[in-house]
Amino acid sequence: MKPRAGNFFEDFRVGQRIVHGTPRTLTTGDCALYLALTGARHVVHCAQPVAHALGHRAAPVDDLLVFNVAFGKTVPDVSLNAVANLGYADGRFLTPVYPGDTIRAESEVIGLRENSNRRSGLVYVRSNAFNQDGVLVLTWVRWVMVNKRDAAAPAPAAVVPDLPREVAPQELAVPAFLRGDEFETGVTGGGNLWDDYEAGERIDHPSGMTLDESDHTLAAKLYQNTARVHFDAQLMRSAPAGRRLVYGGHVISVCRALSYDGLENVLSIAAINGGSHTNPTFAGDTLYARSEVLEKWPLPGRRDLGALRVRLVGLKNLPPAELASLDGPDGKPHPGVVLDLDYTVLMPRRGPT
Amino acid sequence: MKPRAGNFFEDFRVGQRIVHGTPRTLTTGDCALYLALTGARHVVHCAQPVAHALGHRAAPVDDLLVFNVAFGKTVPDVSLNAVANLGYADGRFLTPVYPGDTIRAESEVIGLRENSNRRSGLVYVRSNAFNQDGVLVLTWVRWVMVNKRDAAAPAPAAVVPDLPREVAPQELAVPAFLRGDEFETGVTGGGNLWDDYEAGERIDHPSGMTLDESDHTLAAKLYQNTARVHFDAQLMRSAPAGRRLVYGGHVISVCRALSYDGLENVLSIAAINGGSHTNPTFAGDTLYARSEVLEKWPLPGRRDLGALRVRLVGLKNLPPAELASLDGPDGKPHPGVVLDLDYTVLMPRRGPT
Amino acid sequence: MKPRAGNFFEDFRVGQRIVHGTPRTLTTGDCALYLALTGARHVVHCAQPVAHALGHRAAPVDDLLVFNVAFGKTVPDVSLNAVANLGYADGRFLTPVYPGDTIRAESEVIGLRENSNRRSGLVYVRSNAFNQDGVLVLTWVRWVMVNKRDAAAPAPAAVVPDLPREVAPQELAVPAFLRGDEFETGVTGGGNLWDDYEAGERIDHPSGMTLDESDHTLAAKLYQNTARVHFDAQLMRSAPAGRRLVYGGHVISVCRALSYDGLENVLSIAAINGGSHTNPTFAGDTLYARSEVLEKWPLPGRRDLGALRVRLVGLKNLPPAELASLDGPDGKPHPGVVLDLDYTVLMPRRGPT
């Protein structure tokens, strides 16, 4: 059939493996555009000499650009007929990606559960992204609510995977070549290293960024995300929101870029422990970010680097200082909260003094 | 005179040759941006290893990016004072362009015909684009309606060139190095090869893409197209449309990108047989695409590749399934049809089984 | 403290040196994006073979992209709490920057003067941008009005630096390798060289460019300029303008790109003698440009190149032909004038005939 219509809930079965199409070579062009689209500033991705000093062979591609491109690969097979992207778990950034590397993706269906209304169901997939050498660079689980083609179609037995609440510190991939002791805070101007953060600490990031139609759609096209809800205003006029929806992965990217001020010396993202898009984001919304340090982990065998587990809260049209509680009056997430992400970053430690 | 005012109808003469200014080196930066601006996904342009497997020395630049950049070179000399870009014929993509190549363009005036109102006239030009080695990479004919500086100026004798209705299959440039037999449908996920299409077949492509002011003007600037109608909202406020016009070449690019779903395994564009922009496109319009396979041609001496002649119909604010006829009630093109393009693509054939 | 709140007026002292964070490697990706964001067409930055013929080792990065990126580095330390960016002086472009080069910046406070209202003050800084080899590529002075954290804080003694009205021709940096005699006007199609301009000559550039929210914010993010006034529509709703402000450096870039028609053969910017942003620019405004040749200088020891000192006037929603006087009725700058820049460019001279 031409064209393919994407998979519906009844097309999936647990254990099914899907090789996603259209591998993508990431270039310095993609990196420049990512920076312009998100305002990202983390220095390892911007400054080749800094990357070299730390042991990288080039400035690595921003972890979330890799994530969003790999995610985009999975859309035509996994979520073209999705109603909602519900959550993430067990995301691991295993190998740095450099300009010139080519990313392809595969997924395995690891869980299925029909909804009680029988019109849709939850699909759990583990997706893996590989580079051109077949090395696994990124793996993550997500679950989406997918429509059924036919509500009368029989439902498979419910399988809900047992997902870890976090990627444990001893499982974090830390490149052996990485030289955290070569990092100098002068290159960012932010003086805080791993040692200077405490579990429970909260950082209200000062900047806000308003999204417009052209930039969020450029981003989703850069990621080759083909979900129609992001691009087709004509289609969305009859949807409840009445307009195009900002791709959630781009919301993550922007909120993470906003979190630079106060977390200047993050070297990389090591894990996405979990996360959800709690409310939709639209063009015209201004995004803000708050970070909470959930845990502070030393890393086995490393005196130069530590890990911080951080809760990144994305807000719309609401500076974080004005947010009293993450819960709204009705027990649902506050309507100003668009993202609640639990992730783990690597940061240099102070050397012996 | 500073600045130059562009050529008016009476400045052209048949046989005149124009060397266009501002050669342009195309880089992976241009390719990334093209992808973000159009949503293009054809794999040869996105994935270096796939391009290598087929015999390319790198991932070639998207054919329509080359076309639009070459077209842009001709604007200051040919169509700065144009009222409308009326049609294309005999376009041939002769040599792949790779990142790092530099494109320059020349044109020859091959026809002139004053309009009966004597205020403007048709100018037919053949334009040729060369790479830095002087190799012809692309040639095409277009005709435009150009204003006269002075309605009283005498008109040249009318010369209307005899243009081919199509580029014949035996004239299509097929790179000798290209290894269609090395193509694997797994890299796109689309299972159809040349063998799986039939003349007369129609494909309604499912995706729509809404254009916004920033993205279509970014595209036209990337192509260095200097026609004021695309950029100057102040000027256009007094034009009939009252606003900026989307550059037609970008409409081609977007519609072609939308045609990916259903034509996943196209390797390249070999020819533009003809085409016209039947209605204007503006920011806010949502583009859709339909393809009709006009002809299916084997290629002389090639068992690995075939050609498809395709009619690409671009629609605005009208999904193709809702289009009953390409003609409007008044005999003119349907007001929802913005593009009617006749072009030829190369696609791998099934190997012997 | 996390995050840093930026410096207020009372945090500066004359003689203070600031090393700015986040060095930035500029790539062909940045160059492509710059071109798309500004419509820049100057040939040396677009065409590798032309750059080679002139003696460059690659197509150099557009001077104003370098300027804007270097400027962006200074914002978090100098102007995060600025009310207005008031002027530029003594800007010198000393060394070409090529894709792959990394730019970092340092500043020295060279003047301070509290305003009579005691709520803010002028801060004069000289900023220097270096490449990865520590070579100074660009230096400039700017002065900004910066808020005080506490109006009651004591003011330092006023120091106002003595700034040159211009960079004298014998001080202009002209690369020894540059071969102006290898330039051919055919590569731009513009026939005028240095010899063809006269002091006092005025050029009304024909093109206009309308800015939209997505493109000016993409530009400011590409430059990693973090001033909130450009990005945060929510914040700006309560500001006098009620909306986001276009970054002034981007206005310079766009006006300079518009000045291409009539100044096609400029090879590079050698100096910014002075300049000011006379009125704010917002999305929706259409920019136009006028150039006036202020002086025409031969260059010591060079028969192949000359310098033109040019006044670049940027206008909004007002084609230059409609501007009678740069002064408004009230003695202030005309409300349609957004930029008044005095800069010096290098252009090839005619060879001996």
Side-chain angles (χ1 to χ4, degrees):
Chain A
M1 192 177 131
K2 303 161 195 162
R4 297 182 296 155
N7 291 310
F8 289 87
F9 179 70
E10 59 265 51
D11 298 323
F12 294 100
R13 56 183 175 74
V14 172
Q16 180 182 359
R17 300 176 73 115
I18 305 168
V19 177
H20 305 297
T22 326
R24 174 97 149 76
T25 304
L26 293 168
T27 68
T28 54
D30 297 298
C31 295
L33 200 37
Y34 183 76
L35 198 148
L37 288 163
T38 63
R41 284 181 285 148
H42 284 93
V43 71
V44 175
H45 311 298
C46 299
Q48 184 100 342
V50 175
H52 283 158
L54 294 169
H56 284 286
R57 63 174 168 84
V61 177
D62 193 293
D63 303 301
L64 291 175
L65 174 53
V66 176
F67 173 75
N68 280 322
V69 165
F71 186 104
K73 304 286 128 228
T74 71
V75 168
D77 301 303
V78 172
S79 50
L80 203 61
N81 301 304
V83 188
N85 196 31
L86 294 171
Y88 307 100
D90 201 27
R92 298 160 191 244
F93 293 81
L94 300 169
T95 309
V97 174
Y98 298 101
D101 285 354
T102 300
I103 299 302
R104 63 182 183 82
E106 298 181 3
S107 295
E108 181 177 352
V109 180
I110 60 170
L112 289 171
R113 192 181 67 189
E114 192 183 45
N115 286 325
S116 55
N117 66 13
R118 304 211 53 196
R119 300 179 58 172
S120 57
L122 296 186
V123 180
Y124 295 80
V125 294
R126 170 168 291 285
S127 297
N128 296 314
F130 302 90
N131 68 16
Q132 68 283 357
D133 299 322
V135 174
L136 184 64
V137 298
L138 169 63
T139 179
W140 77 100
V141 171
R142 68 169 169 136
W143 54 105
V144 288
M145 192 185 299
V146 178
N147 279 322
K148 290 177 74 177
R149 186 184 290 106
D150 171 12
V159 174
V160 176
D162 189 28
L163 296 169
R165 291 178 57 88
E166 74 205 25
V167 180
Q170 64 276 16
E171 296 179 18
L172 297 172
V174 181
F177 65 73
L178 202 61
R179 295 289 308 271
D181 52 334
E182 293 291 337
F183 187 82
E184 297 175 27
T185 57
V187 297
T188 65
N192 297 301
L193 294 177
W194 179 83
D195 313 72
D196 304 309
Y197 293 85
E198 295 304 328
E201 181 172 2
R202 193 181 101 184
I203 303 165
D204 284 351
H205 304 291
S207 293
M209 185 171 298
T210 306
L211 300 185
D212 298 286
E213 296 287 12
S214 278
D215 48 70
H216 82 83
T217 55
L218 280 170
K221 286 180 280 189
L222 184 73
Y223 311 144
Q224 298 186 311
N225 184 319
T226 59
R228 286 164 221 163
V229 292
H230 309 313
F231 301 110
D232 187 339
Q234 168 91 359
L235 173 77
M236 295 305 283
R237 242 164 247 140
S238 58
R243 52 201 168 130
R244 287 170 280 176
L245 199 62
V246 177
Y247 160 52
H250 189 57
V251 171
I252 298 178
S253 284
V254 170
C255 290
R256 201 258 169 154
L258 290 170
S259 81
Y260 178 87
D261 294 302
L263 287 166
E264 292 86 352
N265 294 328
V266 169
L267 294 188
S268 66
I269 299 180
I272 292 178
N273 301 300
S276 57
H277 299 289
T278 44
N279 282 292
T281 301
F282 303 102
D285 285 342
T286 301
L287 294 179
Y288 297 91
R290 166 186 290 175
S291 294
E292 297 175 33
V293 179
L294 298 176
E295 301 194 61
K296 182 179 173 180
W297 291 319
L299 290 168
R302 306 287 308 220
R303 266 296 304 156
D304 58 336
L305 295 167
L308 296 176
R309 183 179 174 187
V310 178
R311 183 183 191 180
L312 172 63
V313 177
L315 301 163
K316 66 174 175 184
N317 310 321
L318 184 70
E322 298 176 19
L323 177 73
S325 160
L326 288 170
D327 299 320
D330 51 2
K332 292 186 189 170
H334 190 291
V337 175
V338 294
L339 174 70
D340 194 349
L341 187 77
D342 176 344
Y343 74 124
T344 302
V345 298
L346 302 186
M347 201 183 271
R349 294 176 63 167
R350 294 202 181 287
T353 52
Chain B
M1 191 178 131
K2 304 162 193 160
R4 297 181 296 155
N7 291 311
F8 289 85
F9 179 69
E10 59 265 51
D11 298 324
F12 293 100
R13 55 182 175 76
V14 172
Q16 180 182 359
R17 300 177 72 116
I18 305 167
V19 177
H20 305 296
T22 328
R24 174 97 150 74
T25 304
L26 292 169
T27 68
T28 55
D30 297 298
C31 295
L33 200 37
Y34 183 76
L35 198 149
L37 288 164
T38 63
R41 283 180 285 148
H42 284 93
V43 71
V44 175
H45 311 299
C46 299
Q48 184 99 343
V50 175
H52 283 158
L54 294 170
H56 284 286
R57 63 174 168 83
V61 177
D62 193 293
D63 303 300
L64 291 175
L65 174 53
V66 175
F67 173 75
N68 281 321
V69 166
F71 186 104
K73 303 286 129 227
T74 71
V75 168
D77 301 303
V78 172
S79 50
L80 202 60
N81 301 304
V83 187
N85 196 30
L86 294 172
Y88 307 101
D90 201 29
R92 298 162 191 241
F93 292 82
L94 300 169
T95 308
V97 173
Y98 298 101
D101 285 353
T102 300
I103 299 301
R104 63 183 182 82
E106 299 181 3
S107 295
E108 180 177 352
V109 180
I110 59 168
L112 289 172
R113 193 181 66 188
E114 193 183 44
N115 286 325
S116 54
N117 66 13
R118 304 210 55 197
R119 302 178 58 172
S120 57
L122 296 186
V123 180
Y124 295 79
V125 293
R126 171 168 290 286
S127 297
N128 295 313
F130 302 91
N131 69 15
Q132 68 283 356
D133 299 323
V135 175
L136 184 64
V137 298
L138 170 62
T139 179
W140 77 101
V141 172
R142 68 168 168 135
W143 54 104
V144 289
M145 192 186 298
V146 178
N147 280 322
K148 290 176 76 178
R149 187 185 287 106
D150 172 11
V159 175
V160 176
D162 189 27
L163 296 170
R165 289 178 58 89
E166 74 204 26
V167 180
Q170 64 274 18
E171 296 179 19
L172 297 172
V174 181
F177 65 74
L178 201 63
R179 295 288 308 270
D181 52 334
E182 293 292 337
F183 187 82
E184 297 175 25
T185 57
V187 298
T188 66
N192 297 302
L193 294 177
W194 179 82
D195 312 73
D196 305 309
Y197 293 85
E198 294 304 328
E201 182 172 1
R202 193 180 99 185
I203 303 165
D204 284 351
H205 305 290
S207 292
M209 186 171 298
T210 306
L211 301 186
D212 299 286
E213 296 286 13
S214 279
D215 48 71
H216 83 83
T217 54
L218 280 170
K221 286 180 279 187
L222 183 72
Y223 310 145
Q224 297 187 310
N225 183 319
T226 59
R228 286 164 221 163
V229 292
H230 308 313
F231 301 111
D232 186 338
Q234 168 91 359
L235 172 77
M236 295 305 283
R237 241 163 246 140
S238 58
R243 52 202 168 129
R244 285 171 281 176
L245 199 62
V246 177
Y247 160 52
H250 189 57
V251 172
I252 298 177
S253 284
V254 170
C255 290
R256 200 258 169 153
L258 290 170
S259 80
Y260 178 86
D261 294 302
L263 287 166
E264 292 85 353
N265 294 328
V266 170
L267 293 187
S268 65
I269 299 180
I272 292 179
N273 301 300
S276 57
H277 300 289
T278 44
N279 281 291
T281 301
F282 303 102
D285 285 342
T286 300
L287 294 179
Y288 296 92
R290 166 185 290 176
S291 295
E292 297 174 34
V293 179
L294 298 176
E295 300 194 62
K296 181 180 174 180
W297 290 320
L299 291 168
R302 306 286 309 219
R303 266 296 305 156
D304 58 335
L305 294 167
L308 296 176
R309 183 177 173 188
V310 178
R311 183 182 190 180
L312 173 61
V313 177
L315 301 163
K316 66 175 177 184
N317 310 321
L318 183 71
E322 297 176 19
L323 177 73
S325 162
L326 288 170
D327 299 320
D330 51 3
K332 292 186 190 172
H334 190 292
V337 175
V338 294
L339 174 69
D340 195 349
L341 187 77
D342 177 343
Y343 75 123
T344 302
V345 298
L346 302 186
M347 199 182 272
R349 294 175 64 166
R350 292 202 182 287
T353 51
Chain C
M1 192 177 132
K2 304 162 196 161
R4 296 181 296 154
N7 291 311
F8 289 86
F9 179 70
E10 59 265 52
D11 298 324
F12 294 100
R13 56 184 175 75
V14 172
Q16 180 182 356
R17 299 177 72 118
I18 305 168
V19 176
H20 305 297
T22 327
R24 174 97 149 74
T25 304
L26 292 169
T27 68
T28 54
D30 297 298
C31 295
L33 200 39
Y34 183 76
L35 197 150
L37 288 163
T38 63
R41 284 180 286 149
H42 284 92
V43 70
V44 176
H45 312 297
C46 299
Q48 185 98 344
V50 176
H52 283 158
L54 295 170
H56 284 286
R57 62 174 169 82
V61 177
D62 192 294
D63 303 300
L64 291 175
L65 174 53
V66 175
F67 172 75
N68 281 321
V69 165
F71 186 104
K73 304 285 129 229
T74 71
V75 168
D77 302 302
V78 172
S79 51
L80 202 60
N81 301 304
V83 187
N85 196 31
L86 295 171
Y88 308 100
D90 201 28
R92 298 161 191 243
F93 292 81
L94 300 169
T95 308
V97 173
Y98 298 102
D101 285 353
T102 301
I103 299 301
R104 62 182 183 81
E106 299 181 2
S107 295
E108 180 176 352
V109 180
I110 60 169
L112 288 171
R113 192 181 67 188
E114 193 183 45
N115 286 324
S116 54
N117 66 13
R118 304 210 55 196
R119 300 178 59 172
S120 58
L122 297 185
V123 180
Y124 295 79
V125 293
R126 170 168 291 285
S127 297
N128 296 313
F130 302 91
N131 70 15
Q132 68 283 357
D133 299 322
V135 174
L136 183 63
V137 297
L138 170 62
T139 179
W140 77 100
V141 171
R142 68 170 169 136
W143 53 105
V144 289
M145 192 186 299
V146 178
N147 279 324
K148 290 177 75 176
R149 187 184 288 106
D150 172 12
V159 174
V160 176
D162 189 27
L163 295 170
R165 289 178 58 89
E166 75 204 25
V167 179
Q170 65 275 18
E171 295 179 19
L172 297 172
V174 182
F177 65 74
L178 201 61
R179 296 289 307 271
D181 51 335
E182 294 291 338
F183 187 81
E184 298 175 26
T185 56
V187 299
T188 65
N192 297 302
L193 294 177
W194 180 83
D195 312 73
D196 305 309
Y197 293 85
E198 295 304 328
E201 180 172 2
R202 192 181 101 185
I203 303 165
D204 284 351
H205 304 290
S207 293
M209 186 172 295
T210 306
L211 301 185
D212 298 287
E213 297 286 13
S214 279
D215 48 71
H216 83 81
T217 55
L218 280 170
K221 286 180 278 188
L222 183 73
Y223 311 144
Q224 297 187 312
N225 183 319
T226 59
R228 285 164 222 163
V229 292
H230 308 313
F231 301 111
D232 186 338
Q234 168 90 359
L235 173 77
M236 295 305 283
R237 241 163 246 140
S238 58
R243 51 202 168 129
R244 286 170 280 177
L245 199 62
V246 177
Y247 160 53
H250 189 56
V251 171
I252 297 177
S253 285
V254 169
C255 290
R256 200 257 169 155
L258 290 170
S259 80
Y260 178 87
D261 294 303
L263 287 166
E264 292 86 351
N265 295 328
V266 169
L267 293 187
S268 65
I269 299 180
I272 292 178
N273 301 300
S276 57
H277 299 289
T278 44
N279 281 292
T281 300
F282 303 101
D285 285 342
T286 301
L287 294 179
Y288 297 93
R290 166 184 291 175
S291 294
E292 298 174 34
V293 179
L294 298 176
E295 301 195 60
K296 182 179 173 179
W297 289 319
L299 291 168
R302 306 287 309 220
R303 265 295 306 156
D304 58 336
L305 294 168
L308 296 176
R309 182 178 174 188
V310 178
R311 182 182 190 180
L312 173 62
V313 176
L315 302 163
K316 66 174 176 184
N317 310 322
L318 184 70
E322 298 177 18
L323 178 72
S325 162
L326 289 170
D327 298 320
D330 52 1
K332 291 186 189 171
H334 190 291
V337 175
V338 294
L339 174 69
D340 195 349
L341 188 78
D342 176 343
Y343 75 124
T344 302
V345 297
L346 302 186
M347 201 183 272
R349 294 175 64 166
R350 293 203 181 286
T353 51

